Amino acid sequence: MSTLPPPFALLDMIMGSMVTQAIHVAAKLDVAEHLADGPLPADEIARRCGADADAVYRVLRVLATRSIFAQDEDGRFRLTPMAEALRDGAPVSMRAMALLLGHPFEWEHWGELTSAVATGEPVLPRLRQMGGYEFLAANPEFAGVFEAGMDNLSTLETEPIVAAYDFSGFETIVDVFGGKGTLLAKILATAPGVRGVLADQRAELLGAEEFLRSAGVGDRCAVDTAGLFEKPPAGADLYLMKHIVHEWPEQQALELLRNVRASIRDDGRLLLMEFVLPEGSQPHPGVLVDLWLMILMGGKERTRSQYTELLRQAGFRLTRVIETGSPVAIVEAVPA
């Protein structure tokens, strides 16, 4: 709880965008990596980064006030636990997310929030004349930044998801639009008797087969290049959709779910890995992601009751919502 008077606490939040950019600069210059072996003065950091010494000092001074880096009595800067997370090699790195959320494209998108709120429509079709996936395909540099940022988040979520659910009793698991297969590989590693199918039209581009082989599950996991709005491979007893449904407005979300309903076995299960928002206004990381989805794709995060209704319309019955050790929950459903 802030001890600042309300107007000043509000001002601190308003100026948060400046902190985002300062973190982005530190990530871009790889400052945390330069400090991995110990504290350094700002001029030496700047020399190693190829930047201006005074400017580097001023950025790091700002970040030190937020416990992102710390300044010793001799003036040198050092890593803190949060600064450590700006290293690519950290156990859990957020560097790619810092690069993504400070990227000029992202700032353009967020600059259109007023338009999205006024119209209820995503901004990409108007601003870029294309949808989200088309925009990524047309801008490979940004797509690389975006995918790396998503990998940062996936790293935070994968272990808690696998720990929260028993996958060992299934025969075949289909991961719908599962990227290169990070989640599916982890699941198969913990359930040696289960076979998997990674269904994603981007599989070759993302190097999925090589990744699955390197993860030691290539012999138990097939790759299918079905498009997102095509029916996934039929006949499996478990279908996974991680952060897929939330990207789309109701009609497209229903289409995705109905395609799975047409493919799933009668005794099968569907798991959605999503932020499940509280019904009221309690703090939750998903409420900010909800705005992000509204801007980019017209998607939304949903509450339990909203998922219950969405799944009912698609021919499923929600059976339970399982909390994990991350903000992401597992929404379990069966064919109705």
Side-chain angles (χ1 to χ4, degrees), residues 229-274:
F229 285 95
E230 297 174 1
K231 290 183 177 63
D237 52 344
L238 180 62
Y239 287 77
L240 312 176
M241 300 180 79
K242 180 173 179 282
H243 291 322
I244 303 299
V245 173
H246 77 163
E247 292 184 345
W248 302 97
E250 298 299 292
Q251 290 309 307
Q252 288 96 326
L254 282 170
E255 182 180 352
L256 292 168
L257 292 170
R258 285 168 178 160
N259 283 340
V260 175
R261 181 65 182 87
S263 297
I264 196 171
R265 283 172 23 180
D266 289 342
D267 63 345
R269 280 185 240 178
L270 167 65
L271 301 183
L272 308 180
M273 288 80 168
E274 301 283 9

Side-chain angles (χ1 to χ4, degrees), residues 184-186 188-190 192 194 208-221:
L184 186 57
K186 184 65 69 173
L188 294 179
T190 64
V194 180
E209 289 189 352
E210 181 180 351
F211 173 79
L212 293 167
R213 282 195 300 269
S214 69
V217 298
D219 59 333
R220 290 189 289 126
C221 191

Side-chain angles (χ1 to χ4, degrees), residues 156-164 322-330:
L156 289 176
E157 299 166 352
T158 299
E159 293 281 359
I161 286 171
V162 175
I322 303 162
E323 300 297 330
T324 74
S326 78
V328 173
I330 301 171

Side-chain angles (χ1 to χ4, degrees), residues 75-119:
R76 296 185 301 170
F77 288 94
R78 57 181 168 84
L79 294 179
T80 62
M82 281 198 286
E84 176 70 26
L86 284 176
R87 296 181 62 207
D88 275 330
V92 180
S93 174
M94 287 290 105
R95 180 172 182 263
M97 275 300 290
L99 294 174
L100 172 59
L101 292 182
H103 193 284
F105 282 164
E106 276 301 303
W107 281 70
E108 286 185 70
H109 299 157
W110 278 101
E112 297 293 325
L113 178 59
T114 300
S115 171
V117 172
T119 64

Side-chain angles (χ1 to χ4, degrees), residues 271-295:
L271 301 183
L272 308 180
M273 288 80 168
E274 301 283 9
F275 296 118
V276 178
L277 301 184
E279 296 288 346
S281 56
Q282 301 96 314
H284 191 287
V287 297
L288 279 175
V289 178
D290 179 63
L291 290 186
W292 198 5
L293 292 166
M294 180 177 74
I295 290 170

Side-chain angles (χ1 to χ4, degrees), residues 113-128:
L113 178 59
T114 300
S115 171
V117 172
T119 64
E121 299 292 333
V123 304
L124 277 180
R126 177 180 56 77
L127 187 64
R128 309 295 187 191

